[in-house]
């Protein structure tokens, strides 16, 4: 859907995939097909509104925190 708006910063150089509606395709937890690259809000859902974007941000932060904790665990704990 072309609304005439444009992104100030393009994600195209990351090689990510887009949905048919123009949002960024994500896996569970808002991670894109590029490991470590997360998107939330309108970038993910085209139009989601402020509350949904804030909710997505909280979920992504929790996911990143979990990933970092698991990396520490697998290395034998925090030194």
């Amino acid at each position: 859907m072309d609304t005439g708006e444009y992104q100030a910063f393009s994600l195209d150089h990351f090689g990510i995939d887009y949905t048919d509606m123009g949002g960024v395709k994500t896996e569970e937890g808002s991670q894109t097909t590029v490991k470590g690259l997360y998107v939330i809000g309108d970038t993910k859902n085209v139009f989601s509104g402020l509350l949904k974007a804030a909710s997505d941000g909280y979920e992504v932060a929790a996911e990143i925190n979990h990933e970092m904790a698991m990396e520490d665990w697998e290395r034998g704990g925090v030194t």
Side-chain angles (χ1 to χ4, degrees), residues 3-4 11-12 17-18 24 26 35 39 43 47 53 58 60 73:
T3 63
L11 298 173
D12 291 338
D17 297 322
Y18 293 90
V24 174
T26 59
K35 182 168 175 53
V39 294
T43 303
F47 179 79
Y58 172 83
V60 167
W73 179 265

Side-chain angles (χ1 to χ4, degrees), residues 6 17 24 28 30 38 41 49-50 54 57 69:
Y6 67 93
D17 297 322
V24 174
E28 188 173 339
S30 295
Y38 296 83
L50 181 60

Side-chain angles (χ1 to χ4, degrees), residues 44-73:
K44 176 181 174 184
N45 301 310
V46 181
F47 179 79
S48 61
L50 181 60
L51 293 178
K52 177 64 174 147
S55 174
D56 286 351
Y58 172 83
E59 291 175 16
V60 167
E63 178 67 23
I64 292 170
N65 186 51
H66 175 74
E67 287 178 13
M68 291 171 62
M70 292 306 296
E71 287 174 5
D72 284 344
W73 179 265

Side-chain angles (χ1 to χ4, degrees), residues 7-43:
Q7 295 290 329
F9 178 78
S10 175
L11 298 173
D12 291 338
H13 66 277
F14 288 108
I16 59 173
D17 297 322
Y18 293 90
T19 65
D20 292 337
M21 293 292 294
V24 174
K25 283 188 181 178
T26 59
E27 299 172 2
E28 188 173 339
S30 295
Q31 183 166 315
T32 66
T33 53
V34 177
K35 182 168 175 53
L37 179 62
Y38 296 83
V39 294
I40 63 169
D42 292 352
T43 303

